[in-house]
Structures are given as structure tokens and as C-alpha cells.
């Protein structure tokens, strides 16, 4: 009777800021309860939990090296903060992080469509009137569930279902925050929709879910930045991003990821292209231990897709990145350009799949992955996987591994450029095919980050002050 009484007194749900480590049915139901979600979404989460528990841990990338115990992480961290209405109300640390990512001042005036996600919740959201007048929906995923449930229900899990892999299931079970966008037929976003994600709590997981839909003939441009501020302990991050480009639509998605190295990052990004549609992934990975392969399913005839990725692997860091392209429609085209830089003992790997279905008549894919190693202690690997069922499909694949060419370095020095500046120039040139596709203000920031990465990796001498001091001076 005493045991029964204790059970009856135990709350059915966890409080937002009192979740214990580990994942359970109660954790999932509590998240859904806190967000006041409809029953169909709670069932979606619980089914995903079953799938997650049934699948074994993967055994590649950074997984074998680190003893990752998912039960040691708190999978929901409620901020308890109200959404901010103006920049004056945003945490100064968030603003400093914007500085570090190089979001320019003039764009901040237009950041009405921006969301800043801290740990598991959105802390800033303000929908710009200009977007609303065009019929564009841009909000956090939690708001979308409440205000546009039919759109969310129609598309959620259609591109990345929980069955896809263990971490897609984990995200589906405990996702919190993330972006939602819908662009109506024939409409173009007048400015890049932007989001920013930050992790501050130690030993916690972050699981944002992003769902972007470009209706027929529309165009959607989206950029996101990610960073973490925790020096001790580790964090686990699993995001799921789903893109739907309807007939004749275009989506351009840029990510600049600058997590700290104590972040384990397994992210699933995938888009589907209908007839004549196009998707571009531009993916820059600087920090974290990473496993990420942005993917595109070229479903419709004459659809096209580009994956441009850049990864830096420094000391005790593993970057396992690449792409996943599936050709289904006729006359489909894909282009993959992956660049990896290894230094100070870092390990960079390209892992990519190109698949041609039988229906993919006259489809063409070109894959190019280049690795640059800055010392003898670093590593570069390539793991291409190709599946070709179409007799008329064509696949071009090339890979290179190189070091800084001594002759080029000598030539630059003869032109009056100091050795470290010459190395920086060579590395910047190596990255240029990716960086030039990014918003110009971001590309300037990335070039500054490249200098910092090379200094920290001891590839060049340090000349810059600490970033914090530099920001303080500039402010």
C-alpha cells in the first residue's frame, strides 16, 4: 500500500527545468506535455522512441573513439525564458556569438525572421511584417505545430522518417525548437531567413528540428549558425533538417557550424526535389566531432542538386562529412564538392553515397573531394559508395589528397609575401570554391576564422589577440 501511495504521488510529467539524465517514455511524454502538442505528435514521438531503443549504436566516424553514453545526457533543458521582442532583451552572450559568426550590423535590422535557440528552447523570435505580407510563414517549429498543424503534419518525417537511423529516431522522439518555413507558390524570400543555435548547459543534448517547404515556383534562402559555450563536460547534438522543393522551386541552405570540440554532432539533413526543382546545401564545419552527410533525393524529372561542404579537423578532432545523393527522376543532375583540411593531428573523412535508381534515365552526377593536410600527423580519408541501377546514368568521381606545395610557397615568398601569410593565402584559395557561394559578409568572417584555425593548429604563428578582447575593443 505504501509503494502504491508513492506511485500515486509521483508527478506524471517532469518540470521544464528538472529533467533527469537519460531517455524514457516519461521524458518524451513530458516534452510533448510542456509544449501542449496534439495527440498525433505525441504518438509520433513515442513511436520514434521505440525505434531509437531498438537500433544499435553506429560504429563509424567518431563513435568508436569516444565512450558516448546517451543516458548521461539531459535530453531537454527548458530555458524558462520568454521570447524576446527586441535585440536589447537578448542575452549579451548571444550577441557576442553573433559577432563571432560575423553577422553584419546592417543585416541585424532585417533579422525579423531570425530565431535564436538556446539549449532546447527558442529565446528570440519575431516574425517580420514584410514576410507576412508575402504570405511567407517563418517561425519556430513549436509555434508551427500550434498555428499551422496541418502543414506540419503533412510534411514532418516525410523526408527523414524516424526509421532512417538511430539518431533520426532520437531526434523525432525528443526534438525541441528549430525552424519552420513555408514559401507560397511563386514567391521568393526577400532576404535570407536566418537562425542561430547555441548550447550553454553541460552534459545536455540539443535536438532542433527544421522543416522548410518551398511551394511550386518559389525560392527559399536560409542560413543558420551554431555555436556552444560550454568548456567542461560534453554535449550531444542531433538535428534533423527536412527540405521540400516542389515543382520549379529552389532552396539554398547554408550552415556555418562552430561548435566547441567537446560537442558530439550527428546531424541528418535531407531534401527532396520535385520536377525541375533545385536544392543547394552549403555546409561549413569548423568545431565539434562531426558526422553529417547532407542529402538530396532528386525525385522529379530534370531536378538538380548541389552539395558544397568544407570541414576543418584540428587537434583530437574527427570530421566525418560528405553527401548522399539519390537520383530517381529522368535527366537529373547532381554536383558534390567536398573540401577537408586536416592539421595538428586532426582526422578528416569524406563519406558519400551516389545512387541511381532504374528510373534515373540520362542522370549525371559529378563528385569531387579534395583534402589538404598541413602536417604529417594529420589524416585524410575518402569512402565513396556508388550504386548504379540505371544503364544510361553517368558518374564522375575524383579525389585528391595534397599538402601545401613548396614551389607555390616559395613563389609567393619571392613576391614579398611572408611565409605564414603565404600559407594563409594558399589555404584560403583551397576553400574559395565553397566560401564564395556563401553570403559575402559570412565569407569575410570565415576567412578570419581560417586564420584563427591555422594559428590554433600551429600551422602559422599567432598574431591575433584573443577573440573576446578583440570584440571588446571593437565594441
Amino acid at each position: 500500500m505504501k509503494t502504491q501511495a508513492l506511485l500515486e504521488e509521483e508527478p506524471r510529467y517532469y518540470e521544464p527545468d528538472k529533467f533527469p539524465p537519460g531517455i524514457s517514455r516519461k521524458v518524451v511524454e513530458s516534452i510533448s506535455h510542456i509544449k501542449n502538442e496534439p495527440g498525433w505528435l505525441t504518438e509520433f514521438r513515442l513511436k520514434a522512441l521505440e525505434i531509437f531503443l531498438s537500433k544499435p549504436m553506429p560504429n563509424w566516424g567518431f563513435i568508436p573513439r569516444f565512450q558516448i553514453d546517451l543516458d548521461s545526457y539531459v535530453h531537454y533543458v527548458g530555458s524558462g525564458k520568454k521570447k524576446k521582442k527586441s535585440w536589447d532583451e537578448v542575452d549579451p552572450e548571444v550577441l557576442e556569438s553573433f559577432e563571432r559568426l560575423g553577422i553584419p550590423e546592417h543585416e541585424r535590422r532585417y533579422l525579423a525572421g531570425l530565431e535564436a535557440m538556446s539549449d532546447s528552447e527558442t529565446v528570440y523570435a519575431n516574425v517580420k511584417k514584410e514576410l507576412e505580407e508575402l504570405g511567407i510563414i517563418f517561425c519556430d517549429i513549436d509555434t508551427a505545430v500550434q498555428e499551422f498543424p496541418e502543414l506540419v503534419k503533412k510534411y514532418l518525417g516525410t523526408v527523414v522518417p524516424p526509421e532512417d537511423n538511430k539518431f533520426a529516431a532520437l531526434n523525432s522522439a525528443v526534438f525541441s525548437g528549430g525552424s519552420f518555413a513555408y514559401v507560397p507558390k511563386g514567391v521568393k524570400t526577400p532576404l535570407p531567413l536566418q537562425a542561430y543555435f547555441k548550447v550553454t548547459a553541460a552534459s545536455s543534448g540539443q535536438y532542433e528540428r527544421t522543416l522548410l517547404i518551398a511551394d511550386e515556383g518559389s525560392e527559399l534562402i536560409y542560413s543558420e549558425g551554431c555555436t556552444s559555450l560550454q568548456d567542461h563536460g560534453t554535449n550531444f547534438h542531433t538535428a534533423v533538417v527536412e527540405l521540400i522543393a516542389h515543382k520549379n522551386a529552389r532552396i539554398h541552405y547554408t550552415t556555418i557550424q562552430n561548435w566547441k570540440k567537446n560537442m558530439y554532432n550527428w546531424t541528418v539533413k535531407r531534401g527532396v526535389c520535385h520536377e525541375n526543382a533545385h536544392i543547394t546545401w552549403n555546409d561549413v564545419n569548423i568545431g565539434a566531432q562531426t558526422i553529417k552527410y547532407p542529402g538530396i533525393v532528386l525525385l522529379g524529372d530534370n531536378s538538380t542538386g548541389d552539395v558544397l561542404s568544407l570541414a576543418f579537423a584540428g587537434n583530437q578532432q574527427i570530421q566525418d562529412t560528405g553527401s548522399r545523393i539519390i537520383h530517381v527522376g529522368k535527366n537529373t543532375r547532381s554536383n558534390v564538392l567536398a573540401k577537408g583540411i586536416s592539421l595538428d593531428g586532426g582526422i578528416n573523412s569524406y563519406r558519400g553515397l551516389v545512387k541511381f535508381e532504374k528510373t534515373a534515365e540520362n542522370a549525371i552526377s559529378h563528385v569531387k573531394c579534395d583534402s589538404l593536410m598541413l602536417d604529417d600527423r594529420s589524416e585524410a580519408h575518402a569512402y565513396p559508395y556508388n550504386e548504379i541501377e540505371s544503364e544510361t546514368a553517368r558518374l564522375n568521381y575524383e579525389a585528391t589528397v595534397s599538402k601545401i606545395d613548396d614551389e607555390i610557397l616559395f613563389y609567393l615568398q619571392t613576391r614579398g609575401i611572408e611565409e605564414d601569410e603565404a600559407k594563409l593565402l594558399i589555404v584560403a584559395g583551397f576553400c574559395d570554391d565553397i566560401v564564395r557561394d556563401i553570403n559575402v559578409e559570412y565569407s569575410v568572417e570565415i576567412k578570419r576564422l581560417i586564420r584563427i584555425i591555422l594559428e590554433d593548429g600551429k600551422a602559422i604563428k599567432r598574431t591575433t589577440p584573443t577573440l573576446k578582447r578583440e570584440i571588446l575593443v571593437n565594441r
Side-chain angles (χ1 to χ4, degrees), residues 234-420:
T234 61
N235 294 101
F236 194 85
H237 172 261
T238 288
V240 169
V241 178
E242 298 179 282
L243 310 183
I244 297 97
H246 284 284
K247 182 179 179 181
N248 297 322
R250 300 179 67 85
I251 299 178
H252 193 290
Y253 193 111
T254 298
T255 299
I256 300 175
Q257 176 266 105
N258 194 20
W259 305 114
K260 289 192 172 182
K261 292 178 183 177
N262 57 2
M263 169 71 80
Y264 303 124
N265 176 30
W266 180 304
T267 292
V268 184
K269 294 184 170 182
R270 194 172 305 154
V272 60
C273 282
H274 293 273
E275 184 179 352
N276 291 315
H278 176 85
I279 289 176
T280 293
W281 294 103
N282 196 323
D283 205 57
V284 178
N285 299 287
I286 296 173
Q289 312 292 337
T290 305
I291 294 179
K292 188 184 347 175
Y293 321 110
I296 303 173
V297 180
L298 297 168
L299 187 62
D301 293 347
N302 304 306
S303 56
T304 58
D306 295 329
V307 178
L308 311 175
S309 70
L310 176 62
F312 296 86
N315 183 247
Q316 298 184 343
Q317 192 176 7
I318 298 174
Q319 298 280 22
D320 200 297
T321 59
S323 64
R324 194 169 186 265
I325 305 290
I326 300 176
H327 290 259
V328 181
K330 299 175 183 176
N331 305 313
T332 49
R333 302 285 186 271
S334 66
N335 175 57
V336 176
L337 178 59
K339 301 241 178 182
I341 298 173
S342 309
L343 69 165
D344 202 16
I347 300 174
N348 227 317
S349 297
Y350 167 81
R351 197 181 302 271
L353 167 70
V354 177
K355 182 177 182 179
F356 296 96
E357 302 277 6
K358 287 183 179 179
T359 52
E361 297 177 9
N362 301 314
I364 298 175
S365 180
H366 181 77
V367 179
K368 188 173 190 294
C369 53
D370 296 329
S371 298
L372 180 64
M373 295 194 300
L374 300 188
D375 54 57
D376 295 332
R377 299 183 295 113
S378 301
E379 299 179 30
H381 306 274
Y383 305 100
Y385 301 87
N386 305 316
E387 299 179 21
I388 303 175
E389 298 180 6
S390 169
E391 295 182 354
T392 57
R394 286 185 292 163
L395 169 64
N396 303 316
Y397 173 80
E398 55 182 308
T400 65
V401 178
S402 60
K403 295 183 177 180
I404 289 180
D405 191 307
D406 288 338
E407 291 188 4
I408 295 177
L409 190 62
F410 176 73
Y411 171 77
L412 292 173
Q413 289 179 277
T414 62
R415 308 298 292 180
I417 302 174
E418 294 185 359
E419 181 177 349
D420 281 355

